[in-house]
Amino acid sequence: MPDYGHDLLVGAFLPPAAEVADDTMHLAEVADEVGLDLVSVQDHPYQGRFLDAWTLLTVIAARTANVRVFPNVANLPLRPPAVLARAAASLDRLTNGRFELGIGAGGFVDPIVGMGGPRRTPADSVAALDEAIEVIRGLWTPGRGVKVEGAHYRLRGAHPGPFPVHDIGIWIGAIKPRMLRLTGRVADGWLPSSPYVPAERLAESNRIIDAAAERAGRPPAAVRRLYNIVGSFAGTGAAFLRGSPRTWIEQLAELAVTDGMSAFVLMVDSDGETDLRRFAEEVAPGVRALVEAERSGGGRATPEEVRPAALAGAPRPEPVGPGVTTATPDDGRRLSDERVWDEARRPIGPRAAAGATYSAAERANGQHLVDVHDHLRAELAALRDLVDQVAAGAVDIARARSVISTMTLRQNNWTLGTYCESYCRLVTTHHTLEDRGMFSQLRRADARLAPVIDRLEEEHHAIAGVIERVDRALVALVGAPGGPGLADVRAAVDLLTDTLLSHLSHEERELVEPLSRLRLLG
């Protein structure tokens, strides 16, 4: 099957049970912090243990800033489509376009009837969903009174509105052929779950959707393919999503490029924070890189081929917005066991507007920040190399002088201590200029960036503390050359490497797009 070319989305499918409500809210906030695109909850109104899905999604939307929320999927028989349309549009407006509509025909008939809902045959369920989508779209379309004459739903001059602020996707949870054909005919997305539609059945289902879309005069790519997935990071990798992050990356990337699945929504339990973080921080970047490599025409790549290597001086770009200079990713490797801050608590700023593009002059503003950071990265790599050579006894004074003379620092410093001192001064100066100049301008230009900038400034102070440790270790080494002080220098430089590379990548992810959009450096 083809790759339909959609951008890759990742998300979370959270538990709705009332007794774990606090855990669910925490997981939603984690999903927002680690950069997931989507957060969803199931909708089973007849289940007495569950919170109402719509209320839960509303609170989640209020407690997050970036993720899109959606029911996975809304139970049509117990949610009248006219009311559903107005509720969806309202939540979309209140969240500035962060709502999507997953919807289903209602698969559990007896509990639906027990709640006062209709008992429908499979054929009637599909017909009702078809009519409901007509009702919903009619009420989202400006114009005069909406009329729908269906066997299950009717509108007799209902006034349309409120109107969504973006084109809400209608994603159908479909399993059987009749529902798949409806999906191809009228839906914006197909939303199956791996326990009900295993990976090996995706191709067959896609063929049904594609044929129905073409018969309706629609391109198959009009239907996004989303996939609710269940998995474990334990296992040998022989089964689907049962193994290391590498296993997940390879299997999900394969589904993206061969079966056109372009959104993966991980089902997690109330204690699933660790898995959610691994999915966002390890799996998602790897899947995106493999899919990008395939789409670029370079042939199938392996996880190793697309693994970023900041210390090696050859970072792989990480997109931060359409048409924007790319940010250097953090590959997650750490040299020290010590942690100066909690990376998971970093605020996330506003994302690029859908469809936004930037001129060459605007992109240059973000590129300037990346260029300055690349200089710091290159000098850090040189510093580490020099420490290694001194430790190995491979560098004498003449050789050290030769190495330093090729560096961009405009000083004739040739001892390990004076070079480290110069580099640390360079980092400190860079951060001071950011704090006093660029950051204050960004605050004034876009108040939504304030939490991000506050955190970046905090990290600057933390990095300054690490630099002081490097200085102290160097002083001790000069006082006792050849002694145990070299191990302290190495440990301090390792910690500086971890903190600085993590910080620079995070700063680029958050600021490259605003710098391009706001043109503060031009």
Short mmCIF file of all heavy atoms in Angstrom, two decimals, residues 217-281:
data_model
loop_
_atom_site.label_atom_id
_atom_site.label_comp_id
_atom_site.label_asym_id
_atom_site.label_seq_id
_atom_site.Cartn_x
_atom_site.Cartn_y
_atom_site.Cartn_z
N GLY A 217 -15.17 9.73 -5.76
CA GLY A 217 -14.49 10.85 -6.38
C GLY A 217 -13.50 11.55 -5.49
O GLY A 217 -13.16 12.72 -5.71
N ARG A 218 -13.02 10.83 -4.48
CA ARG A 218 -12.05 11.41 -3.54
C ARG A 218 -10.72 10.70 -3.71
O ARG A 218 -10.67 9.48 -3.95
CB ARG A 218 -12.51 11.22 -2.09
CG ARG A 218 -13.92 11.62 -1.78
CD ARG A 218 -14.25 11.27 -0.33
NE ARG A 218 -13.55 12.10 0.63
CZ ARG A 218 -13.26 11.74 1.87
NH1 ARG A 218 -13.55 10.51 2.30
NH2 ARG A 218 -12.65 12.57 2.69
N PRO A 219 -9.58 11.42 -3.51
CA PRO A 219 -8.29 10.73 -3.49
C PRO A 219 -8.16 9.94 -2.19
O PRO A 219 -8.59 10.41 -1.13
CB PRO A 219 -7.28 11.88 -3.55
CG PRO A 219 -8.00 13.05 -2.95
CD PRO A 219 -9.44 12.88 -3.34
N PRO A 220 -7.60 8.74 -2.23
CA PRO A 220 -7.41 7.98 -0.99
C PRO A 220 -6.65 8.76 0.08
O PRO A 220 -6.90 8.57 1.28
CB PRO A 220 -6.63 6.75 -1.45
CG PRO A 220 -7.04 6.56 -2.88
CD PRO A 220 -7.21 7.95 -3.42
N ALA A 221 -5.77 9.66 -0.33
CA ALA A 221 -4.99 10.44 0.64
C ALA A 221 -5.86 11.42 1.41
O ALA A 221 -5.39 12.01 2.39
CB ALA A 221 -3.87 11.19 -0.07
N ALA A 222 -7.12 11.60 1.01
CA ALA A 222 -8.01 12.47 1.78
C ALA A 222 -8.32 11.88 3.14
O ALA A 222 -8.82 12.58 4.03
CB ALA A 222 -9.30 12.71 1.01
N VAL A 223 -8.06 10.59 3.30
CA VAL A 223 -8.34 9.90 4.56
C VAL A 223 -7.02 9.63 5.29
O VAL A 223 -6.21 8.81 4.84
CB VAL A 223 -9.09 8.57 4.32
CG1 VAL A 223 -9.43 7.91 5.65
CG2 VAL A 223 -10.34 8.80 3.48
N ARG A 224 -6.78 10.33 6.40
CA ARG A 224 -5.61 10.05 7.22
C ARG A 224 -5.79 8.69 7.89
O ARG A 224 -6.91 8.33 8.30
CB ARG A 224 -5.41 11.14 8.27
CG ARG A 224 -4.24 10.85 9.21
CD ARG A 224 -4.18 11.84 10.35
NE ARG A 224 -3.53 13.08 9.99
CZ ARG A 224 -2.22 13.26 9.95
NH1 ARG A 224 -1.40 12.25 10.20
NH2 ARG A 224 -1.72 14.44 9.64
N ARG A 225 -4.70 7.95 8.06
CA ARG A 225 -4.76 6.64 8.71
C ARG A 225 -4.10 6.75 10.09
O ARG A 225 -2.89 6.99 10.19
CB ARG A 225 -4.07 5.56 7.88
CG ARG A 225 -4.35 5.65 6.36
CD ARG A 225 -5.83 5.53 6.00
NE ARG A 225 -6.12 6.08 4.69
CZ ARG A 225 -6.48 5.39 3.63
NH1 ARG A 225 -6.57 4.06 3.71
NH2 ARG A 225 -6.75 5.99 2.48
N LEU A 226 -4.91 6.61 11.15
CA LEU A 226 -4.42 6.67 12.52
C LEU A 226 -4.50 5.27 13.13
O LEU A 226 -5.29 4.43 12.68
CB LEU A 226 -5.25 7.65 13.35
CG LEU A 226 -5.40 9.07 12.78
CD1 LEU A 226 -6.74 9.22 12.05
CD2 LEU A 226 -5.31 10.13 13.87
N TYR A 227 -3.71 5.02 14.17
CA TYR A 227 -3.65 3.65 14.71
C TYR A 227 -3.45 3.73 16.22
O TYR A 227 -2.43 4.24 16.71
CB TYR A 227 -2.49 2.91 14.06
CG TYR A 227 -2.58 1.40 14.09
CD1 TYR A 227 -3.78 0.72 14.17
CD2 TYR A 227 -1.41 0.64 13.98
CE1 TYR A 227 -3.84 -0.66 14.16
CE2 TYR A 227 -1.45 -0.75 13.96
CZ TYR A 227 -2.66 -1.41 14.05
OH TYR A 227 -2.71 -2.78 14.04
N ASN A 228 -4.45 3.24 16.96
CA ASN A 228 -4.28 3.06 18.40
C ASN A 228 -3.46 1.80 18.64
O ASN A 228 -3.80 0.73 18.11
CB ASN A 228 -5.64 2.92 19.09
CG ASN A 228 -6.49 4.17 18.99
OD1 ASN A 228 -5.99 5.27 19.15
ND2 ASN A 228 -7.78 3.99 18.72
N ILE A 229 -2.40 1.92 19.40
CA ILE A 229 -1.48 0.78 19.56
C ILE A 229 -1.29 0.41 21.03
O ILE A 229 -1.37 1.25 21.92
CB ILE A 229 -0.10 1.08 18.93
CG1 ILE A 229 0.49 2.38 19.50
CG2 ILE A 229 -0.22 1.16 17.41
CD1 ILE A 229 1.90 2.68 19.03
N VAL A 230 -1.05 -0.88 21.23
CA VAL A 230 -0.71 -1.42 22.55
C VAL A 230 0.64 -2.10 22.42
O VAL A 230 0.91 -2.79 21.44
CB VAL A 230 -1.77 -2.45 23.01
CG1 VAL A 230 -1.38 -3.02 24.37
CG2 VAL A 230 -3.15 -1.81 23.08
N GLY A 231 1.51 -1.90 23.41
CA GLY A 231 2.83 -2.51 23.32
C GLY A 231 3.53 -2.56 24.65
O GLY A 231 3.01 -2.10 25.68
N SER A 232 4.72 -3.14 24.63
CA SER A 232 5.56 -3.25 25.83
C SER A 232 7.01 -3.14 25.40
O SER A 232 7.40 -3.62 24.33
CB SER A 232 5.32 -4.59 26.52
OG SER A 232 6.30 -4.81 27.53
N PHE A 233 7.81 -2.48 26.24
CA PHE A 233 9.24 -2.37 25.94
C PHE A 233 10.01 -3.58 26.47
O PHE A 233 11.24 -3.61 26.41
CB PHE A 233 9.80 -1.08 26.51
CG PHE A 233 9.32 0.14 25.77
CD1 PHE A 233 8.39 0.99 26.32
CD2 PHE A 233 9.78 0.40 24.49
CE1 PHE A 233 7.93 2.10 25.63
CE2 PHE A 233 9.33 1.51 23.79
CZ PHE A 233 8.40 2.36 24.36
N ALA A 234 9.30 -4.57 26.96
CA ALA A 234 9.91 -5.85 27.32
C ALA A 234 9.58 -6.85 26.22
O ALA A 234 8.52 -6.81 25.63
CB ALA A 234 9.37 -6.34 28.66
N GLY A 235 10.51 -7.75 25.96
CA GLY A 235 10.28 -8.75 24.92
C GLY A 235 11.46 -8.86 23.98
O GLY A 235 12.40 -8.07 24.03
N THR A 236 11.38 -9.83 23.10
CA THR A 236 12.49 -10.12 22.19
C THR A 236 12.40 -9.37 20.87
O THR A 236 13.35 -9.38 20.09
CB THR A 236 12.53 -11.62 21.89
OG1 THR A 236 11.33 -11.99 21.19
CG2 THR A 236 12.64 -12.43 23.18
N GLY A 237 11.26 -8.76 20.61
CA GLY A 237 11.06 -8.10 19.32
C GLY A 237 10.40 -8.99 18.29
O GLY A 237 10.12 -8.55 17.17
N ALA A 238 10.12 -10.25 18.65
CA ALA A 238 9.51 -11.16 17.69
C ALA A 238 8.04 -10.82 17.46
O ALA A 238 7.50 -11.04 16.37
CB ALA A 238 9.64 -12.60 18.18
N ALA A 239 7.36 -10.31 18.49
CA ALA A 239 5.95 -9.95 18.37
C ALA A 239 5.82 -8.45 18.12
O ALA A 239 6.75 -7.68 18.36
CB ALA A 239 5.19 -10.35 19.64
N PHE A 240 4.65 -8.04 17.66
CA PHE A 240 4.42 -6.64 17.32
C PHE A 240 4.50 -5.78 18.58
O PHE A 240 3.79 -6.00 19.56
CB PHE A 240 3.06 -6.49 16.66
CG PHE A 240 2.71 -5.08 16.25
CD1 PHE A 240 3.47 -4.42 15.30
CD2 PHE A 240 1.63 -4.42 16.82
CE1 PHE A 240 3.17 -3.12 14.92
CE2 PHE A 240 1.31 -3.13 16.45
CZ PHE A 240 2.09 -2.48 15.49
N LEU A 241 5.39 -4.78 18.54
CA LEU A 241 5.59 -3.83 19.63
C LEU A 241 5.83 -4.52 20.97
O LEU A 241 5.29 -4.13 22.00
CB LEU A 241 4.40 -2.86 19.72
CG LEU A 241 4.14 -1.99 18.47
CD1 LEU A 241 3.02 -1.01 18.76
CD2 LEU A 241 5.39 -1.27 18.02
N ARG A 242 6.66 -5.55 20.93
CA ARG A 242 7.08 -6.22 22.16
C ARG A 242 8.61 -6.32 22.10
O ARG A 242 9.16 -7.30 21.62
CB ARG A 242 6.46 -7.62 22.26
CG ARG A 242 4.97 -7.65 22.48
CD ARG A 242 4.60 -7.14 23.88
NE ARG A 242 3.20 -7.35 24.20
CZ ARG A 242 2.22 -6.53 23.87
NH1 ARG A 242 2.50 -5.43 23.16
NH2 ARG A 242 0.97 -6.77 24.20
N GLY A 243 9.27 -5.25 22.56
CA GLY A 243 10.73 -5.25 22.51
C GLY A 243 11.29 -3.87 22.77
O GLY A 243 10.61 -2.99 23.31
N SER A 244 12.51 -3.67 22.39
CA SER A 244 13.23 -2.43 22.65
C SER A 244 12.65 -1.28 21.82
O SER A 244 11.90 -1.51 20.87
CB SER A 244 14.70 -2.61 22.29
OG SER A 244 14.83 -2.77 20.89
N PRO A 245 13.01 -0.03 22.16
CA PRO A 245 12.59 1.09 21.32
C PRO A 245 12.99 0.90 19.86
O PRO A 245 12.25 1.32 18.95
CB PRO A 245 13.29 2.29 21.96
CG PRO A 245 13.40 1.93 23.40
CD PRO A 245 13.67 0.45 23.41
N ARG A 246 14.14 0.28 19.61
CA ARG A 246 14.55 0.01 18.23
C ARG A 246 13.51 -0.84 17.51
O ARG A 246 13.16 -0.59 16.35
CB ARG A 246 15.90 -0.70 18.21
CG ARG A 246 16.34 -1.14 16.82
CD ARG A 246 17.47 -2.15 16.90
NE ARG A 246 17.74 -2.71 15.58
CZ ARG A 246 18.71 -2.33 14.78
NH1 ARG A 246 19.51 -1.35 15.16
NH2 ARG A 246 18.88 -2.89 13.61
N THR A 247 12.98 -1.86 18.20
CA THR A 247 11.93 -2.69 17.61
C THR A 247 10.71 -1.84 17.26
O THR A 247 10.15 -1.96 16.16
CB THR A 247 11.53 -3.80 18.59
OG1 THR A 247 12.65 -4.69 18.79
CG2 THR A 247 10.35 -4.60 18.07
N TRP A 248 10.29 -1.01 18.18
CA TRP A 248 9.14 -0.15 17.93
C TRP A 248 9.40 0.76 16.73
O TRP A 248 8.53 0.93 15.87
CB TRP A 248 8.86 0.71 19.16
CG TRP A 248 8.24 0.01 20.32
CD1 TRP A 248 8.69 -1.11 20.95
CD2 TRP A 248 7.07 0.41 21.03
NE1 TRP A 248 7.87 -1.44 21.99
CE2 TRP A 248 6.87 -0.53 22.07
CE3 TRP A 248 6.17 1.45 20.88
CZ2 TRP A 248 5.80 -0.43 22.95
CZ3 TRP A 248 5.10 1.56 21.77
CH2 TRP A 248 4.92 0.61 22.79
N ILE A 249 10.57 1.37 16.69
CA ILE A 249 10.90 2.30 15.60
C ILE A 249 10.79 1.61 14.25
O ILE A 249 10.16 2.11 13.32
CB ILE A 249 12.30 2.89 15.81
CG1 ILE A 249 12.30 3.84 17.02
CG2 ILE A 249 12.79 3.62 14.56
CD1 ILE A 249 13.69 4.26 17.46
N GLU A 250 11.40 0.45 14.14
CA GLU A 250 11.40 -0.26 12.86
C GLU A 250 9.99 -0.69 12.46
O GLU A 250 9.59 -0.55 11.29
CB GLU A 250 12.33 -1.47 12.95
CG GLU A 250 13.80 -1.10 13.09
CD GLU A 250 14.68 -2.32 13.27
OE1 GLU A 250 14.15 -3.37 13.69
OE2 GLU A 250 15.89 -2.21 13.02
N GLN A 251 9.21 -1.21 13.43
CA GLN A 251 7.88 -1.71 13.08
C GLN A 251 6.91 -0.58 12.75
O GLN A 251 6.12 -0.69 11.80
CB GLN A 251 7.34 -2.57 14.24
CG GLN A 251 8.12 -3.88 14.41
CD GLN A 251 7.62 -4.72 15.57
OE1 GLN A 251 6.86 -4.25 16.42
NE2 GLN A 251 8.06 -5.96 15.63
N LEU A 252 6.95 0.50 13.50
CA LEU A 252 6.04 1.61 13.21
C LEU A 252 6.43 2.34 11.93
O LEU A 252 5.55 2.75 11.15
CB LEU A 252 6.00 2.58 14.39
CG LEU A 252 5.41 2.01 15.69
CD1 LEU A 252 5.40 3.07 16.78
CD2 LEU A 252 4.00 1.47 15.48
N ALA A 253 7.72 2.50 11.69
CA ALA A 253 8.15 3.13 10.44
C ALA A 253 7.72 2.29 9.24
O ALA A 253 7.32 2.82 8.20
CB ALA A 253 9.66 3.34 10.45
N GLU A 254 7.78 0.98 9.39
CA GLU A 254 7.34 0.09 8.31
C GLU A 254 5.85 0.29 8.02
O GLU A 254 5.43 0.34 6.86
CB GLU A 254 7.61 -1.37 8.69
CG GLU A 254 7.24 -2.38 7.61
CD GLU A 254 8.19 -2.34 6.43
OE1 GLU A 254 9.30 -1.77 6.54
OE2 GLU A 254 7.82 -2.89 5.38
N LEU A 255 5.04 0.42 9.08
CA LEU A 255 3.62 0.65 8.87
C LEU A 255 3.37 2.01 8.20
O LEU A 255 2.43 2.15 7.41
CB LEU A 255 2.87 0.61 10.21
CG LEU A 255 2.82 -0.74 10.93
CD1 LEU A 255 1.98 -0.62 12.19
CD2 LEU A 255 2.27 -1.83 10.02
N ALA A 256 4.20 2.98 8.51
CA ALA A 256 4.03 4.30 7.92
C ALA A 256 4.32 4.29 6.42
O ALA A 256 3.56 4.87 5.63
CB ALA A 256 4.92 5.31 8.62
N VAL A 257 5.39 3.64 6.02
CA VAL A 257 5.81 3.73 4.62
C VAL A 257 5.17 2.66 3.74
O VAL A 257 5.13 2.81 2.51
CB VAL A 257 7.35 3.67 4.49
CG1 VAL A 257 7.98 4.84 5.22
CG2 VAL A 257 7.90 2.36 4.98
N THR A 258 4.65 1.58 4.33
CA THR A 258 4.04 0.54 3.50
C THR A 258 2.52 0.49 3.61
O THR A 258 1.83 0.08 2.68
CB THR A 258 4.59 -0.85 3.85
OG1 THR A 258 4.27 -1.17 5.20
CG2 THR A 258 6.10 -0.89 3.65
N ASP A 259 1.98 0.90 4.77
CA ASP A 259 0.53 0.87 4.97
C ASP A 259 -0.06 2.25 5.17
O ASP A 259 -1.27 2.37 5.42
CB ASP A 259 0.18 -0.01 6.18
CG ASP A 259 0.45 -1.48 5.92
OD1 ASP A 259 -0.08 -2.00 4.93
OD2 ASP A 259 1.20 -2.10 6.68
N GLY A 260 0.75 3.28 5.08
CA GLY A 260 0.23 4.63 5.12
C GLY A 260 -0.25 5.10 6.47
O GLY A 260 -0.96 6.12 6.55
N MET A 261 0.08 4.39 7.55
CA MET A 261 -0.36 4.83 8.87
C MET A 261 0.48 6.05 9.28
O MET A 261 1.70 5.98 9.33
CB MET A 261 -0.22 3.70 9.89
CG MET A 261 -0.83 2.38 9.44
SD MET A 261 -2.55 2.50 8.88
CE MET A 261 -3.42 2.84 10.42
N SER A 262 -0.19 7.15 9.57
CA SER A 262 0.55 8.39 9.83
C SER A 262 0.30 8.96 11.21
O SER A 262 0.73 10.08 11.49
CB SER A 262 0.18 9.43 8.77
OG SER A 262 -1.20 9.72 8.82
N ALA A 263 -0.37 8.23 12.08
CA ALA A 263 -0.54 8.68 13.46
C ALA A 263 -0.59 7.43 14.34
O ALA A 263 -1.33 6.49 14.06
CB ALA A 263 -1.81 9.51 13.64
N PHE A 264 0.20 7.45 15.39
CA PHE A 264 0.26 6.32 16.32
C PHE A 264 -0.09 6.83 17.71
O PHE A 264 0.56 7.73 18.24
CB PHE A 264 1.64 5.68 16.30
CG PHE A 264 2.02 5.14 14.95
CD1 PHE A 264 2.95 5.79 14.15
CD2 PHE A 264 1.44 3.98 14.47
CE1 PHE A 264 3.30 5.31 12.90
CE2 PHE A 264 1.77 3.48 13.21
CZ PHE A 264 2.70 4.14 12.42
N VAL A 265 -1.15 6.24 18.29
CA VAL A 265 -1.68 6.69 19.58
C VAL A 265 -1.50 5.55 20.58
O VAL A 265 -2.12 4.49 20.45
CB VAL A 265 -3.16 7.09 19.46
CG1 VAL A 265 -3.68 7.63 20.78
CG2 VAL A 265 -3.34 8.13 18.35
N LEU A 266 -0.63 5.76 21.55
CA LEU A 266 -0.26 4.69 22.49
C LEU A 266 -1.27 4.60 23.63
O LEU A 266 -1.51 5.58 24.34
CB LEU A 266 1.13 4.96 23.05
CG LEU A 266 1.64 3.93 24.07
CD1 LEU A 266 1.80 2.56 23.43
CD2 LEU A 266 2.96 4.40 24.68
N MET A 267 -1.83 3.41 23.83
CA MET A 267 -2.71 3.16 24.96
C MET A 267 -1.86 2.91 26.20
O MET A 267 -1.01 2.02 26.20
CB MET A 267 -3.59 1.94 24.69
CG MET A 267 -4.45 2.04 23.45
SD MET A 267 -5.43 0.52 23.23
CE MET A 267 -6.18 0.84 21.63
N VAL A 268 -2.11 3.68 27.27
CA VAL A 268 -1.34 3.52 28.50
C VAL A 268 -2.28 3.36 29.68
O VAL A 268 -3.40 3.88 29.69
CB VAL A 268 -0.39 4.71 28.74
CG1 VAL A 268 0.70 4.75 27.69
CG2 VAL A 268 -1.14 6.03 28.77
N ASP A 269 -1.80 2.65 30.70
CA ASP A 269 -2.51 2.53 31.96
C ASP A 269 -2.19 3.73 32.85
O ASP A 269 -1.35 4.56 32.51
CB ASP A 269 -2.12 1.24 32.67
CG ASP A 269 -2.55 0.00 31.90
OD1 ASP A 269 -3.60 0.06 31.23
OD2 ASP A 269 -1.82 -1.01 31.96
N SER A 270 -2.82 3.79 34.00
CA SER A 270 -2.62 4.92 34.89
C SER A 270 -1.18 5.04 35.38
O SER A 270 -0.72 6.11 35.76
CB SER A 270 -3.57 4.83 36.09
OG SER A 270 -3.34 3.62 36.81
N ASP A 271 -0.44 3.92 35.38
CA ASP A 271 0.97 3.94 35.81
C ASP A 271 1.92 3.91 34.61
O ASP A 271 3.07 3.49 34.74
CB ASP A 271 1.26 2.77 36.74
CG ASP A 271 1.01 1.42 36.09
OD1 ASP A 271 0.46 1.39 34.96
OD2 ASP A 271 1.35 0.38 36.70
N GLY A 272 1.46 4.38 33.46
CA GLY A 272 2.24 4.24 32.23
C GLY A 272 3.12 5.41 31.88
O GLY A 272 3.50 5.56 30.71
N GLU A 273 3.50 6.25 32.85
CA GLU A 273 4.29 7.44 32.53
C GLU A 273 5.63 7.08 31.89
O GLU A 273 6.06 7.72 30.92
CB GLU A 273 4.53 8.28 33.78
CG GLU A 273 5.37 9.52 33.49
CD GLU A 273 5.56 10.41 34.70
OE1 GLU A 273 4.90 10.18 35.74
OE2 GLU A 273 6.39 11.34 34.62
N THR A 274 6.30 6.06 32.41
CA THR A 274 7.60 5.70 31.86
C THR A 274 7.48 5.29 30.39
O THR A 274 8.26 5.74 29.54
CB THR A 274 8.23 4.55 32.66
OG1 THR A 274 8.42 4.98 34.02
CG2 THR A 274 9.58 4.14 32.07
N ASP A 275 6.50 4.46 30.08
CA ASP A 275 6.30 4.04 28.69
C ASP A 275 5.94 5.24 27.81
O ASP A 275 6.39 5.34 26.66
CB ASP A 275 5.21 2.99 28.60
CG ASP A 275 5.69 1.62 29.06
OD1 ASP A 275 6.91 1.46 29.30
OD2 ASP A 275 4.85 0.70 29.16
N LEU A 276 5.13 6.14 28.34
CA LEU A 276 4.72 7.31 27.56
C LEU A 276 5.94 8.18 27.22
O LEU A 276 6.08 8.66 26.09
CB LEU A 276 3.69 8.12 28.34
CG LEU A 276 2.96 9.23 27.58
CD1 LEU A 276 2.15 8.63 26.44
CD2 LEU A 276 2.05 10.00 28.53
N ARG A 277 6.81 8.36 28.20
CA ARG A 277 8.01 9.16 27.95
C ARG A 277 8.94 8.47 26.94
O ARG A 277 9.50 9.12 26.06
CB ARG A 277 8.75 9.42 29.26
CG ARG A 277 8.04 10.38 30.20
CD ARG A 277 8.90 10.70 31.41
NE ARG A 277 8.21 11.58 32.33
CZ ARG A 277 8.13 12.91 32.21
NH1 ARG A 277 8.74 13.49 31.18
NH2 ARG A 277 7.48 13.64 33.07
N ARG A 278 9.11 7.17 27.06
CA ARG A 278 9.98 6.46 26.10
C ARG A 278 9.40 6.54 24.69
O ARG A 278 10.14 6.68 23.71
CB ARG A 278 10.16 5.00 26.52
CG ARG A 278 10.89 4.81 27.83
CD ARG A 278 11.31 3.38 28.04
NE ARG A 278 12.49 3.06 27.23
CZ ARG A 278 13.11 1.89 27.23
NH1 ARG A 278 12.64 0.91 28.00
NH2 ARG A 278 14.16 1.68 26.49
N PHE A 279 8.08 6.42 24.61
CA PHE A 279 7.43 6.52 23.31
C PHE A 279 7.68 7.89 22.68
O PHE A 279 8.02 8.00 21.49
CB PHE A 279 5.93 6.29 23.49
CG PHE A 279 5.13 6.37 22.23
CD1 PHE A 279 5.36 5.51 21.17
CD2 PHE A 279 4.11 7.31 22.10
CE1 PHE A 279 4.61 5.57 20.00
CE2 PHE A 279 3.35 7.39 20.95
CZ PHE A 279 3.60 6.52 19.90
N ALA A 280 7.57 8.95 23.48
CA ALA A 280 7.73 10.31 22.96
C ALA A 280 9.19 10.64 22.69
O ALA A 280 9.52 11.28 21.68
CB ALA A 280 7.14 11.32 23.94
N GLU A 281 10.09 10.24 23.59
CA GLU A 281 11.47 10.72 23.54
C GLU A 281 12.40 9.80 22.76
O GLU A 281 13.42 10.26 22.24
CB GLU A 281 11.99 10.91 24.96
CG GLU A 281 11.22 12.00 25.73
CD GLU A 281 11.53 12.02 27.21
OE1 GLU A 281 12.31 11.13 27.66
OE2 GLU A 281 11.00 12.89 27.93
#
